[in-house]
Amino acid sequence: MLEFLAESLYLYPDIYGVVVLVITFALVLALSYRAGRAMVKTLSGRGRALVLTVSLAWYFILFVFFSIFFIALPGVIMQLGQFFPTLGSVAQLVDRATSIAGERVLVPIFLVLLLIGVIRLFLLTKKETTPIVSTSNTTNSLIRSVWLGARRHLLIAFLVFVAFGLLRLPVLDQRDKTPEQIEKIRETKLTMDDVLGTNLPKHPNTILREDGNTNPTEADIRAYYDSTIAGKDENANGIRDDVELAIFESYPDSAKTRAALLQYALALQMEMTQPFVNTEVVIAVAQVGDKALNCIWSIVSREIREVFISQTEEYEEFVNLNQINTEARQNAQTKFYKGNLESYSSPNESCDLDLNVLTN
C-alpha cells in the first residue's frame, strides 16, 4: 500500500499535493471548529458580540497552530526515514508534493477552510440564544468560562506539541552529534601499514577452520563475509576484510595501486557504517569518496586519454564490484544517498598518503 502511494505521489505530485493539503486543512478545520463550538456553548449565556469575538479568536489561534504542525509533520517524519525507511520515503514524497502544489494553492485552501469555520461559528452564535450549560456555569466569571471552554482543546494542543517534540528528539540528538561525526569521517585515513599489509586480516579459510568448519566452501566464505551489510573488519582499519584481501591478491606487486584502491574501499565502506545519516554526514562521506577517486586518477598516466579512462574505470569497477557485491549493500548505498545528498564542493585533495615514497 505504501509503495503504491509512493509511486502515485512521485508521478502526480500536483494532484496528490492538492489532495493532501485539502485533507490536512480539513482536519485542522474539524479540530479548530470543535474548539470554537465548545467555547460558544460555554459562553452562550453572555452577550452575542462577546461570545462571537472570544470563540472566533480561539478558533483562529488553534487553526493556525494545528496548520503549522500538520504541514511540518511530513518533514519531521522524513528526517526519521533511517528508522522507518518506507514511511520516510512516503513522507519525503508527500513533502515534495505539498511543496509543489503549495506554491499555487496553499494560501487559497487555507483561507477557504478558515472562512468556512468562521461562517459556521457566526451562524452558531446567532442560533445559540439561550444557555445550554448549567446555571452554575453561566454565573462563573468570564475567565473561568473561557477556561472551561478551552481546557479540553488546550490539552489536545499540548499533546500535539509534545508528540511533535518527541518525534524531533532523535533528529535533534543527531544534530548535536553531527559535527563530531563529520570530524571523525574526515580524520579516518589510510595508513602505510594498510598499504604494506602489516596487519592483514586472516584468510577466511583459517577463520572458518578455527570455528570448526574443516572444509569451508566458497558459499561458506561468502556467508561469513556477507552475513551483515557492514561485513567483517577484523583488523579494524575501516576496510572490509574480503575487499582488502582481494586488492592484495589482485595487485601484489604495486603498492601505489593498492594505496589508491584501499583508500577508495575505505571511502565506500563509510557508506555502510555511519551510526546515523543526515545531509551533512552524507556530504562528508561523498567528499571522502571524491578524494579517493582523485587518488585513483593520480596513479594513471593521462598521456593517452583513452587509456586513462579505461584504466581508471577498471580500478573503480574492481573496487565497486567487490564492495557493493550484494543486493542488500546496493540497497543500503541507494538509501544512504537518496534524499540526503545535496550540492557540495568536491575536494581538490587526493591521496591520504604520499605515494612518491612507494617504489612501485
Side-chain angles (χ1 to χ4, degrees):
M1 180 63 183
L2 285 176
E3 287 78 5
F4 173 77
L5 179 59
E7 183 179 356
S8 301
L9 284 165
Y10 180 78
L11 293 175
Y12 310 105
D14 288 329
I15 297 173
Y16 279 90
V18 172
V19 171
V20 169
L21 288 174
V22 170
I23 293 174
T24 298
F25 285 118
L27 181 59
V28 169
L29 171 62
L31 287 170
S32 305
Y33 175 74
R34 285 176 62 88
R37 185 178 64 182
M39 188 65 71
V40 170
K41 291 182 179 296
T42 303
L43 299 176
S44 59
R46 300 179 183 273
R48 183 165 180 262
L50 175 64
V51 174
L52 182 61
T53 301
V54 175
S55 60
L56 284 179
W58 181 230
Y59 163 75
F60 180 78
I61 290 171
L62 288 184
F63 195 96
V64 173
F65 175 84
F66 287 127
S67 295
I68 292 172
F69 277 91
F70 281 119
I71 289 296
L73 187 59
V76 175
I77 297 176
M78 183 174 62
Q79 292 177 318
L80 298 174
Q82 60 179 304
F83 306 109
F84 312 101
T86 304
L87 188 60
S89 298
V90 172
Q92 181 181 2
L93 291 169
V94 169
D95 188 64
R96 170 176 172 264
T98 53
S99 297
I100 292 173
E103 292 178 358
R104 299 191 304 275
V105 299
L106 176 62
V107 173
I109 292 175
F110 176 89
L111 292 177
V112 167
L113 291 176
L114 177 65
L115 184 60
I116 289 174
V118 170
I119 294 172
R120 292 188 66 184
L121 284 175
F122 179 82
L123 295 175
L124 182 64
T125 55
K126 188 175 181 180
K127 178 182 177 182
E128 298 288 344
T129 56
T130 58
I132 58 173
V133 294
S134 66
T135 305
S136 60
N137 277 339
T138 59
T139 58
N140 284 329
S141 67
L142 176 61
I143 294 177
R144 177 169 174 76
S145 297
V146 170
W147 164 248
L148 290 174
R151 59 184 179 180
R152 177 180 297 178
H153 290 86
L154 269 176
L155 177 61
I156 294 174
F158 175 74
L159 292 176
V160 169
F161 180 80
V162 170
F164 196 85
L166 291 175
L167 284 174
R168 290 280 296 166
L169 280 179
V171 178
L172 294 175
D173 182 57
Q174 289 180 5
R175 185 174 297 172
D176 291 339
K177 295 178 180 178
T178 294
E180 179 183 351
Q181 187 60 26
I182 290 175
E183 186 66 22
K184 181 179 179 181
I185 291 168
R186 291 173 177 168
E187 291 300 318
T188 301
K189 299 181 185 296
L190 192 71
T191 68
M192 189 60 71
D193 284 344
D194 295 329
V195 176
L196 300 179
T198 304
N199 187 31
L200 274 177
K202 291 181 181 179
H203 194 279
N205 284 336
T206 302
I207 296 174
L208 291 173
R209 288 192 182 103
E210 289 175 352
D211 290 342
N213 187 340
T214 57
N215 188 27
T217 64
E218 182 62 27
D220 295 330
I221 293 173
R222 288 306 346 147
Y224 169 75
Y225 280 135
D226 299 336
S227 58
T228 63
I229 290 176
K232 303 293 183 180
D233 182 18
E234 298 297 336
N235 58 355
N237 63 350
I239 306 166
R240 214 173 70 218
D241 290 349
D242 55 324
V243 180
E244 186 174 358
L245 290 172
I247 291 172
F248 270 86
E249 182 179 342
S250 298
Y251 301 96
D253 301 323
S254 177
K256 290 183 179 180
T257 302
R258 291 200 304 271
L261 301 192
L262 287 169
Q263 184 175 332
Y264 187 41
L266 177 63
L268 291 180
Q269 182 67 356
M270 289 183 184
E271 299 169 355
M272 310 293 164
T273 57
Q274 297 307 309
F276 58 86
V277 178
N278 57 33
T279 297
E280 292 82 1
V281 167
V282 170
I283 288 176
V285 171
Q287 289 174 327
V288 170
D290 289 350
K291 182 180 172 183
L293 288 175
N294 289 342
C295 186
I296 290 178
W297 299 339
S298 73
I299 66 172
V300 180
S301 172
R302 297 174 184 257
E303 290 184 6
I304 303 176
R305 182 173 180 273
E306 291 76 11
V307 174
F308 171 78
I309 293 174
S310 174
Q311 188 64 67
T312 53
E313 286 181 348
E314 178 185 325
Y315 286 150
E316 292 172 32
E317 184 178 11
F318 174 81
V319 178
N320 277 310
L321 288 177
N322 280 278
Q323 183 75 33
I324 314 298
N325 64 326
T326 67
E327 184 178 356
R329 286 172 178 146
Q330 291 172 3
N331 293 337
Q333 187 183 56
T334 300
K335 176 187 169 185
F336 180 76
Y337 286 107
K338 187 176 181 181
N340 295 313
L341 187 61
E342 298 178 355
S343 59
Y344 66 94
S345 300
S346 186
N348 294 322
E349 301 96 331
S350 57
C351 302
D352 289 340
L353 301 171
D354 180 5
L355 302 191
N356 291 322
V357 303
L358 300 172
T359 57
N360 57 347

